[in-house]
Amino acid sequence: MKIKQLEYLLEVVECGSISKAAQQLFVSQPSLTKSIMGLEEEYGIQILIRNPRGIELTEEGKRFVHYAQGVLTAARSLKSNFNLENREESSRLFIAAQQLDFIYDLIYKTYLDNKMSYIHYNLVGTDRNTVTKMVLERKVDLGFLVRSNTDAKTYLWSSNAKRLKLYPLDSAEAYVCIGPKSPYYDCKSLTYEQCEQNLHVALDMEEAASQNLYVDNSNNHFNIKRIIFLNSISACEHFLLQTDALMYVAKWAVGCFKNPQIRAIPVSDSTPHTLELLWIKRAGEPLSQTEKQFVQHLYQQFNLKMPDELLHSDISDTVI
């Protein structure tokens, strides 16, 4: 008997299906079946009954699973307390990001890679100024933000450029989200000139950006006489559904709006307003094993090749 066999068995029981468990564990179904049959042969019992709906535990199987849970708990305790490789405290994955719709799934995939490990996950949703500040101050390890081609090239990083490493992921035109009360609800696209005439909803913009609206309104396309600042997606959804307001959003935040009545429409103009998505980390520091797994999922999400410098860098675990 191997500990991995018991872990596989408990995953099958939790999922109620060998095929579903195989997907969660990222192993082939035949390998998983062979592992469980090995346990049955070793102990001379039938643990599972396979049927069209999934699996069912036999009476002996129920007793076996009860003891298997105890063995796994004891094994994990031993590993935590006496394995030299695990004397350190829990690994961590700390991320700060603007509102982006793909982050949650990436964290979930990383969690699945490490279901049996002790990892502290933390996601901070905030504005881009704070994202950068938290990375620099080591409060988080990775940051995600969106910047515009209308931003100054040295935006945020003029004094910290050597301390940060920036990795572009994608670029796209801007979008606006609107509800059914908007006069533009059936439009396929809008211009900034049309957008500027309407009530605007803005999500938790950093103080410097919001103040700048009143100082220089030449390039930001907001109606500064009719703007509401809110601090949650749910609050933004409420105003979009109840009023004719519109809200500028990045392509990578559209999925945060779950109400099917809210539409996302691209905004085009003679002068393109391009948005760029990027992630950042502190320069000169290798990724931990957990961070590397997360970043691998990130590049797969965008169908990009992971940079060689990240693939082949020395990996060191980040400790809380």
Side-chain angles (χ1 to χ4, degrees):
M1 178 200 74
K2 296 180 179 179
I3 295 297
K4 184 65 69 177
Q5 288 177 288
L6 299 183
E7 292 174 343
Y8 282 0
L9 172 62
L10 293 187
E11 185 68 29
V12 170
V13 173
E14 182 179 338
C15 292
S17 162
I18 292 178
S19 60
K20 289 180 181 178
Q23 292 175 358
Q24 294 291 337
L25 293 165
F26 298 101
V27 299
S28 68
Q29 188 171 334
S31 296
L32 190 52
T33 300
K34 183 178 179 181
S35 174
I36 294 171
M37 289 178 65
L39 287 173
E40 292 178 324
E41 291 174 3
E42 182 175 352
Y43 289 92
I45 62 172
Q46 183 177 6
I47 300 173
L48 302 176
I49 298 173
R50 298 150 184 84
N51 57 54
R53 295 184 178 181
I55 61 96
E56 180 181 346
L57 285 170
T58 64
E59 288 303 315
E60 284 186 311
K62 292 177 182 178
R63 292 180 58 220
F64 188 90
V65 166
H66 170 75
Y67 286 108
Q69 290 171 330
V71 170
L72 280 179
T73 298
R76 290 167 188 165
S77 180
L78 283 171
K79 184 175 181 180
S80 174
N81 287 283
F82 296 102
N83 190 330
L84 290 176
E85 294 180 358
N86 290 281
R87 293 283 178 85
E88 298 174 340
E89 295 182 41
S90 304
S91 295
R92 78 178 199 180
L93 180 62
F94 283 13
I95 298 170
Q98 290 180 266
Q99 287 290 337
L100 301 167
D101 55 26
F102 59 86
I103 294 286
Y104 312 135
D105 282 341
L106 297 183
I107 293 176
Y108 175 64
K109 289 177 181 178
T110 307
Y111 160 74
L112 291 180
D113 291 338
N114 300 277
K115 285 183 70 172
M116 303 304 174
S117 303
Y118 296 95
I119 298 177
H120 186 181
Y121 297 90
N122 188 28
L123 173 61
V124 180
T126 186
D127 61 76
R128 60 183 179 178
N129 254 328
T130 306
V131 168
T132 305
K133 183 179 179 181
M134 292 186 76
V135 173
L136 286 170
E137 294 178 353
R138 298 182 177 276
K139 293 179 179 177
V140 299
D141 307 302
L142 310 176
F144 288 83
L145 48 84
V146 176
R147 65 179 178 182
S148 166
N149 63 338
T150 60
D151 293 329
K153 291 184 178 179
T154 55
Y155 176 77
L156 287 177
W157 303 299
S158 56
S159 62
N160 296 307
K162 293 182 179 180
R163 298 173 59 197
L164 290 173
K165 183 70 176 179
L166 281 61
Y167 296 91
L169 291 168
D170 199 6
S171 61
E173 61 191 343
Y175 284 74
V176 289
C177 281
I178 57 175
K181 294 186 178 181
S182 169
Y184 304 124
Y185 194 67
D186 295 320
C187 293
K188 293 184 178 180
S189 66
L190 291 173
T191 65
Y192 284 107
E193 183 177 6
Q194 290 173 301
C195 295
E196 288 169 359
Q197 307 306 312
N198 288 263
L199 169 65
H200 286 266
V201 171
L203 176 63
D204 199 22
M205 292 176 65
E206 62 265 33
E207 183 178 355
S210 59
Q211 290 298 320
N212 186 56
L213 294 179
Y214 301 94
V215 176
D216 178 15
N217 194 41
S218 59
N219 291 317
N220 54 50
H221 306 295
F222 283 93
N223 182 345
I224 60 173
K225 296 180 180 179
R226 300 184 67 207
I227 187 167
I228 300 174
F229 291 96
L230 301 168
N231 65 357
S232 70
I233 287 290
S234 59
C236 293
E237 282 192 342
H238 180 84
F239 273 87
L240 292 176
L241 291 170
Q242 299 297 325
T243 70
D244 63 350
L246 58 81
M247 177 180 177
Y248 290 120
V249 297
K251 165 188 172 184
W252 316 281
V254 169
C256 293
F257 294 86
K258 302 301 183 184
N259 193 301
Q261 294 186 79
I262 293 178
R263 290 194 61 209
I265 301 174
V267 185
S268 58
D269 214 339
S270 56
T271 303
H273 190 71
T274 305
L275 301 179
E276 182 182 35
L277 172 68
L278 45 88
W279 72 277
I280 62 175
K281 73 177 190 70
R282 291 179 294 277
E285 295 187 10
L287 297 173
S288 71
Q289 183 62 38
T290 306
E291 292 164 6
K292 186 176 181 182
Q293 290 171 334
F294 176 87
V295 171
Q296 286 174 328
H297 289 304
L298 172 66
Y299 279 92
Q300 291 170 3
Q301 172 79 20
F302 287 91
N303 295 314
L304 296 173
K305 182 179 181 295
M306 191 167 170
D308 288 341
E309 65 186 83
L310 298 175
L311 276 172
H312 304 302
S313 62
D314 293 329
I315 304 301
S316 62
D317 275 333
T318 304
V319 179
I320 297 175

